[in-house]
Amino acid sequence: MIHKYMIWCLCMIMTVFVLSGCGDEEYQPVSDEFIQETEGTKDASDVKTVEAIPIETPTPEPTPTPEPAFEEYDISLMAIGDNLLHMGIVNTGRKSDGTYEYPFLFEGISEFLQAADIKVINQETILGGNELGFSGYPRFNSPTEIGDAIAAAGFNVVLHASNHSGDKGIEGLQSCAKFWETYPEVLMVGIHHDKVEEHEIPLLTIDDVTFAILNYTYSANMAALPKELWGHLDMLCNYDSKSGQMDYTTIHPGVLEDIAKAQELADVVIVFPHWGNEYQTKPSKYQEKFALQMTEAGADLIIGTHPHVVQPVEWVEAENGNKALCYYSLGNYVSTQKNGLSMLEGMAWVTFRVKEDGIVLNEEDTGILPMVCQYKSGPVRFQNVYLLENYTEELAAAHGIYGYGGVTLTLSDLQTWSEEILGDWVLPIGQVLK
């Protein structure tokens, strides 16, 4: 009995020992009574209050929106040659009530006018004022309704520096310049209402690209330039500063100065010289010389007029590394001349590719589209302008040049001339009107 009691007592002692935590110094549970008694004995001064410190959450930097990738695009230029308005063409536009209208002049190229961004016409004859009367060769004066039709067709550049700019003197030239002020959307170049001592570079901006448009003529059909025209007509060839005597072998220094100035103002510099020998399908040595000088000065594109026939297209490279594409002559646009070769004409088509790092000429989509001016005889009247690609033997056989000029004209003649003069620069219609 004692033995059992002793065992029981030993078990109780071991239980108390375990519950008292003596076996684990790191764990010492405190009773709720002790906690209450302890808290009750603290002074308020012994209690330290810990204030919450706000944590500022940093605002994340906004993710920058990536710049959209630059999308390359094209700007196209079309240019046609001499709008040479003989009286047969003037009379074609006369209505029964005595008024004049000329929208028909551009119906044959309407699709190209709609497709191009820059649309250029060389207005060969002066629009000197209807009150002066209308006249043809050799001293022209054409109806201002021609200008109305040019604007209505969508041309945004008109070239007026030609050898016929002074046909009606300073009065006709100033009247023409004043007329174009009624069409501010059209950039008219080459002549000036007010005398200019230093040229203001004509600029045209298309889709954020700026083009300088320069236009000069070799002459005003006079051996000496009349003083009344000085500063009113932009001259390609130099002339004596006292007598006005022309020097057809030397480029006017102002041309090269203008090109250099234009380089600073524009992305592309285009020069339209009125130059060369009439009815010659090869450029003269002075055309070649002037083209090289203009290229060296900074011209990017040269498009010539005046010879009344087409001349070759070629690259011109200067020793300083500059390079320009040169159309030596586009020939006529409309005329009633008696020379069969003058019925073949060209439409320049130039495509500029705008890239992120600059502007280049897209040679694949650049060239010339041969055209044919069609008129009838008895009386002589304008009919239409056709693309050579669409021209037929039947049209050639019906051309008024037979009865009016006694000249034989065939489709094969036109095709041969086009191939020989223009060569690989000929563009098919489908290459342009895609």
Side-chain angles (χ1 to χ4, degrees):
M1 181 69 73
I2 295 174
H3 177 71
K4 291 180 180 180
Y5 178 76
M6 290 179 67
I7 292 173
W8 178 83
C9 289
L10 181 60
C11 288
M12 291 300 292
I13 292 170
M14 289 296 294
T15 300
V16 172
F17 177 79
V18 172
L19 293 176
S20 67
C22 294
D24 187 353
E25 294 181 356
E26 293 181 0
Y27 175 69
Q28 299 180 5
V30 181
S31 68
D32 290 342
E33 290 182 3
F34 176 80
I35 292 173
Q36 291 173 1
E37 289 176 2
T38 304
E39 288 179 347
T41 59
K42 288 184 178 180
D43 293 334
S45 59
D46 294 332
V47 179
K48 293 183 179 180
T49 303
V50 179
E51 296 182 0
I53 301 175
I55 299 175
E56 294 185 5
T57 304
T59 304
E61 292 291 330
T63 303
T65 303
E67 289 289 332
F70 184 86
E71 294 187 12
E72 297 182 1
Y73 60 95
D74 290 336
I75 296 176
S76 56
L77 175 148
M78 63 160 282
I80 57 175
D82 303 347
N83 206 33
L84 183 55
L85 300 170
H86 295 104
M87 288 305 296
I89 298 174
V90 172
N91 291 331
T92 305
R94 181 181 171 87
K95 301 297 181 182
S96 58
D97 62 359
T99 60
Y100 293 81
E101 293 181 0
Y102 296 95
F104 58 85
L105 288 178
F106 309 110
E107 289 175 355
I109 60 170
S110 60
E111 289 182 284
F112 298 92
L113 285 165
Q114 293 172 12
D117 299 300
I118 304 173
K119 293 153 274 197
V120 186
I121 183 171
N122 178 56
Q123 182 49 48
E124 176 81 11
T125 56
I126 198 73
L127 313 180
N130 293 6
E131 67 279 2
L132 300 179
F134 306 138
S135 55
Y137 182 82
R139 296 198 174 278
F140 291 85
N141 187 44
S142 303
T144 54
E145 286 82 0
I146 296 290
D148 296 330
I150 287 171
F155 288 96
N156 50 12
V157 176
V158 174
L159 313 174
H160 253 300
S162 84
N163 55 308
H164 292 290
S165 299
D167 280 2
K168 292 300 175 180
I170 188 63
E171 179 185 359
L173 184 150
Q174 288 179 313
S175 178
C176 183
K178 190 71 174 176
F179 165 80
W180 284 110
E181 292 178 7
T182 64
Y183 289 103
E185 71 277 15
V186 177
L187 179 64
M188 188 279 293
V189 295
I191 63 174
H192 309 274
H193 180 273
D194 298 320
K195 184 175 182 178
V196 294
E197 300 294 340
E198 183 177 351
H199 290 170
E200 182 176 340
I201 304 300
L203 301 174
L204 180 69
T205 300
I206 304 290
D207 293 337
D208 298 324
V209 178
T210 302
F211 296 83
I213 310 290
L214 306 175
N215 177 216
Y216 309 92
T217 180
Y218 76 99
S219 170
N221 279 346
M222 304 172 193
L225 184 68
K227 288 191 176 182
E228 67 174 7
L229 297 182
W230 292 14
H232 294 278
L233 177 60
D234 292 344
M235 300 301 298
L236 177 67
C237 294
N238 202 14
Y239 58 91
D240 187 87
S241 60
K242 294 182 179 179
S243 66
Q245 187 70 31
M246 297 299 306
D247 176 7
Y248 299 113
T249 65
T250 306
I251 196 167
H252 194 290
V255 173
L256 305 181
E257 292 169 5
D258 287 350
I259 293 173
K261 188 188 303 182
Q263 268 201 312
E264 302 296 321
L265 301 173
D267 301 298
V268 180
V269 179
I270 309 175
V271 186
F272 294 90
H274 203 71
W275 60 358
N277 296 327
E278 292 183 342
Y279 312 111
Q280 299 300 308
T281 58
K282 293 183 179 179
S284 69
K285 64 179 181 179
Y286 293 114
Q287 283 175 277
E288 293 174 337
K289 175 184 173 182
F290 291 175
L292 186 61
Q293 289 177 292
M294 290 187 288
T295 301
E296 187 173 32
D300 298 300
L301 177 65
I302 302 168
I303 301 179
T305 54
H306 172 65
H308 305 307
V309 293
V310 291
Q311 292 181 342
V313 183
E314 66 180 27
W315 285 102
V316 178
E317 296 188 40
E319 290 186 0
N320 65 356
N322 289 352
K323 187 177 179 181
L325 183 63
C326 181
Y327 294 75
Y328 281 105
S329 174
L330 298 180
N332 296 325
Y333 174 63
V334 298
S335 78
T336 58
Q337 290 185 311
K338 301 177 182 181
N339 175 23
L341 189 55
S342 295
M343 297 301 103
L344 177 68
E345 52 204 37
M347 178 197 298
W349 191 274
V350 182
T351 303
F352 298 96
R353 187 67 172 173
V354 183
K355 300 184 176 184
E356 188 171 13
D357 57 352
I359 303 165
V360 297
L361 191 147
N362 181 354
E363 191 169 332
E364 182 181 351
D365 292 328
T366 292
I368 190 166
L369 293 107
M371 302 184 295
V372 183
C373 177
Q374 185 88 354
Y375 66 82
K376 65 180 182 178
S377 59
V380 174
R381 294 291 185 267
F382 171 82
Q383 287 185 300
N384 204 353
V385 170
Y386 295 93
L387 274 295
L388 178 59
E389 188 175 330
N390 296 332
Y391 203 63
T392 65
E393 284 285 10
E394 291 73 21
L395 285 169
H399 200 292
I401 202 168
Y402 284 104
Y404 180 56
V407 175
T408 300
L409 185 69
T410 67
L411 175 59
S412 61
D413 288 337
L414 295 163
Q415 292 170 333
T416 298
W417 293 333
S418 173
E419 182 178 345
E420 290 177 348
I421 301 168
L422 304 175
D424 294 338
W425 285 98
V426 172
L427 279 177
I429 296 173
Q431 186 76 15
V432 174
L433 301 179
K434 298 177 181 179

